[in-house]
Amino acid sequence: MIVVTGASGQLGQLVIQALLRQVPASQIVAAVRQPAKATDLAALGVQVRQADYTQPATLDAAFQGAEKVLLISSSEVGQRTVQHHNVIDAAQRAGVQLLAYTSLLRADSSPLGLAAEHQATEAYLKSVGLPHVLLRNGWYTENYLASVPPALQHGAFIGSAGEGRIASAARVDYAEAAARVLTLPDQAGRIYELAGDTSYTLAEFAAELSRQSGKTIPYINLPEAEYQKALVGAGLPEGLASLLADSDAGAAQGALFDEGRQLSALLGRPTASLASLVEAALA
């Protein structure tokens, strides 16, 4: 039995779909906060169980009979450490044989503000002795593709990453990698640094967008504080704007770059190219 937490989220749904290509639906549990909103997952034939990271009793029920658990990191930045501890404790009580955790690329040395809660979760996993595997995911290309519509509207792509190279990958690639790890033997103790095969600067991203859209979309590099202010002005919450600006500033330092190709090695195929992802976004 494989339990996927956060299964109704964007990554979780893709992991479920990838697992269904490898194991019977009867062996998969989609653990979600609100089962009533997961009818699409239930329609796939998998078990849907309630699992709220803030309510340990729901986690105990969700993990009954589980051999493996995928802990997809919480989206509630600032609350993650406690929430992840709850999941890990419940997995230990359930006798789970392997917990896979979606961490951050080079979490142990990353300058990103996002890294702190991942570091705390990794340290806790190690301290309690639960057999685990770390999926240190790099940046999702979708994080930048979300800015394509406003870039086309305003005629510029803004950021704060300077000349930093970004080895991002599509969310579906990370999901398929997680499913692979959950179905491969002897994964306990492994650490995967996962990123796209090729990298780009945001100027190169803007150039690709220009090429495919037929519009001239320059990249405008802003100081971190100005970029954050622009994101807030575009309607993003202060916390999210701060996180994105900090991540861009980290990218300028190389925090989102990796050339180890561990992701494509796991997949057994190249990761999706930037050109193909921009094409899909424009479509």
Side-chain angles (χ1 to χ4, degrees):
M1 187 74 76
I2 299 173
V3 177
V4 177
T5 71
S8 58
Q10 291 175 302
L11 181 65
Q13 292 189 56
L14 293 171
V15 173
I16 296 288
Q17 292 167 17
L19 280 172
L20 284 168
R21 295 193 285 271
Q22 301 180 59
V23 297
S26 60
Q27 294 177 18
I28 302 171
V29 172
V32 301
R33 185 178 294 181
Q34 296 177 289
K37 294 184 178 181
T39 53
D40 53 337
L41 292 172
L44 297 174
V46 303
Q47 297 183 55
V48 175
R49 298 178 182 174
Q50 185 189 13
D52 188 321
Y53 290 176
T54 64
Q55 299 179 26
T58 68
L59 298 169
D60 288 334
F63 293 170
Q64 282 186 0
E67 178 186 350
K68 298 177 182 179
V69 168
L70 173 63
L71 167 52
I72 292 180
S73 57
S74 166
S75 60
E76 297 178 63
V77 176
Q79 307 297 318
R80 287 170 154 179
T81 301
V82 171
Q83 292 179 354
H84 294 169
H85 284 193
N86 289 341
V87 174
I88 292 163
D89 291 345
Q92 199 160 35
R93 289 193 295 271
V96 167
Q97 296 174 30
L98 181 72
L99 183 140
Y101 171 61
T102 61
S103 188
L104 176 71
L105 184 67
R106 294 190 300 280
D108 53 343
S109 61
S110 175
L112 299 188
L114 274 176
E117 289 176 303
H118 291 297
Q119 291 167 359
T121 301
E122 290 190 8
Y124 190 67
L125 270 169
K126 191 173 182 180
S127 72
V128 301
L130 182 68
H132 63 276
V133 52
L134 300 178
L135 305 172
R136 287 179 170 169
N137 288 352
W139 215 234
Y140 297 151
T141 308
E142 286 87 350
N143 292 344
Y144 287 123
L145 294 175
S147 296
V148 164
L152 292 173
Q153 180 183 350
H154 299 293
F157 190 93
I158 64 172
S160 190
E163 293 299 311
R165 300 202 69 80
I166 298 157
S168 67
R171 188 177 280 110
V172 68
D173 285 348
Y174 293 115
E176 289 184 17
R180 285 280 294 159
V181 166
L182 290 166
T183 54
L184 286 170
D186 305 319
Q187 294 299 298
R190 294 180 183 247
I191 299 174
Y192 292 98
E193 303 287 356
L194 303 175
D197 286 345
T198 56
S199 64
Y200 54 88
T201 65
L202 289 188
E204 290 169 354
F205 182 100
E208 181 62 31
L209 177 58
S210 299
R211 185 183 72 82
Q212 292 200 36
S213 68
K215 299 180 179 180
T216 301
I217 310 291
Y219 171 60
I220 299 176
N221 195 66
L222 300 173
E224 181 182 348
E226 284 189 34
Y227 180 43
Q228 180 178 340
K229 186 177 179 181
L231 291 173
V232 172
L236 268 63
E238 189 80 43
L240 179 58
S242 174
L243 182 156
L244 291 174
D246 173 81
S247 298
D248 254 30
Q253 302 174 49
L256 302 182
F257 175 71
D258 183 84
E259 52 188 353
R261 298 198 171 194
Q262 291 186 35
L263 179 53
S264 56
L266 257 182
L267 296 174
R269 61 164 175 79
T271 58
S273 68
L274 177 63
S276 68
L277 295 170
V278 169
E279 182 180 5
L282 290 172

